[in-house]
Amino acid sequence: MKKALSLLLALAMTASLAACGGRDAGAPPAEDPPAVTAPDSAPNPAGQPSEPAETPDPSAPSDNRENGGILIAYFGVVEDRENVDTVANASRVATADGVVGNCEFIAQAIQEAVGGDLFAIETVQDYPRSHEALLDFAYQELRKDARPELRGEIENLDDYDVIFLGYPNWNADLPMPLYTFLESYDFSGKTIIPFVTHGGSGFSRTISTIAGLQPNATVVEDGLSISRGNVANAAQEAMDWASGILN
């Protein structure tokens, strides 16, 4: 009897010790500790954002091409003609910033409307600045089928999808520097949008000539044609046309 009592007492003491060393009732298991949440007013630990940083999506569109992939290239010669009103002059326009060429004036209006980069097509040789001498010089170039050497080049052609191309109508044809220009670059897959200043002949055959020189480009036939006497008043027309042609 004593032996049985001793055994029961020993078992009771063991159970009591086990209860003292165990976890409280209702506490989470040791392998799953409760999350600690700081109150709203408590600052986050240094270097630990409250939310994970957003990872950039590599497939999202980029805004790196600030100018929308548009290049506005133009050629022209600014004539020096004394005692001639620049509004009526064949190749220049007086602006608040000074006298500019007809094609440059239209190119600037296009840029104002649609953005893009301006590129002046310039030659190594100088052209005569008097009207009659320039007419004769241009005719001799045409007769010789000349290819005047250009100065400067487009360094980032791959950035552009749309090329506005401006030039004067010389002898019912492209100026010969335009032949050099169009034979120097490959505009395959790009869109060429012509604009011309003229003395009454409009585009003549120049749009089809451009298409022949750049057969893998899309050449827009609905170009902008401005008579040289109307250039100074054609800025808004050029802007409206450029905006419309891209929509």
Side-chain angles (χ1 to χ4, degrees):
M1 184 69 178
K2 281 187 181 180
K3 195 182 260 186
L5 261 168
S6 298
L7 182 57
L8 288 172
L9 184 58
L11 288 171
M13 290 178 66
T14 303
S16 175
L17 288 172
C20 290
R23 59 181 176 84
D24 294 336
E31 67 270 21
D32 186 18
V36 178
T37 303
D40 292 342
S41 59
N44 291 324
Q48 299 294 323
S50 58
E51 296 182 0
E54 184 177 348
T55 303
D57 181 0
S59 65
S62 171
D63 291 330
N64 289 338
R65 293 167 67 176
E66 296 179 358
N67 296 303
I70 297 172
L71 180 70
I72 307 162
Y74 63 92
F75 170 77
V77 177
V78 182
E79 298 173 20
D80 292 331
R81 286 168 42 174
E82 295 181 358
N83 302 320
V84 176
D85 182 0
T86 51
V87 173
N89 198 339
S91 69
R92 61 183 189 172
V93 178
T95 72
D97 297 322
V99 175
V100 300
N102 282 351
C103 286
E104 181 180 4
F105 180 77
I106 299 300
Q108 290 173 348
I110 293 170
Q111 184 188 43
E112 185 175 349
V114 300
D117 293 331
L118 293 175
F119 180 79
I121 302 170
E122 299 177 328
T123 58
V124 172
Q125 71 183 17
D126 291 328
Y127 281 86
R129 296 302 182 98
S130 64
H131 188 66
E132 295 302 324
L134 178 59
L135 289 177
D136 183 65
F137 193 95
Y139 176 74
Q140 295 303 323
E141 278 194 333
L142 176 64
R143 188 177 63 82
K144 296 174 183 177
D145 197 26
R147 294 295 186 273
E149 182 181 355
L150 301 184
R151 181 173 59 209
E153 62 182 20
I154 304 169
E155 297 180 354
N156 52 341
L157 184 60
D158 289 344
D159 289 351
Y160 304 109
D161 300 317
V162 174
I163 316 294
F164 284 91
L165 184 60
Y167 50 90
N169 182 327
W170 281 2
N171 300 296
D173 203 344
L174 293 172
M176 302 317 290
L178 263 292
Y179 280 90
T180 307
F181 178 78
L182 291 166
E183 291 171 355
S184 298
Y185 297 97
D186 182 4
F187 294 129
S188 295
K190 302 182 187 298
T191 299
I192 301 175
I193 308 175
F195 62 96
V196 69
T197 60
H198 61 90
S201 300
F203 277 105
S204 297
R205 303 180 305 273
T206 58
I207 292 181
S208 61
T209 299
I210 293 170
L213 292 170
Q214 292 288 335
N216 296 316
T218 299
V219 181
V220 173
E221 295 186 0
D222 188 17
L224 177 67
S225 172
I226 302 290
S227 173
R228 67 191 184 199
N230 296 330
V231 169
N233 299 313
Q236 190 61 53
E237 178 183 355
M239 294 172 66
D240 292 344
W241 166 79
S243 297
I245 205 78
L246 293 182
N247 294 328

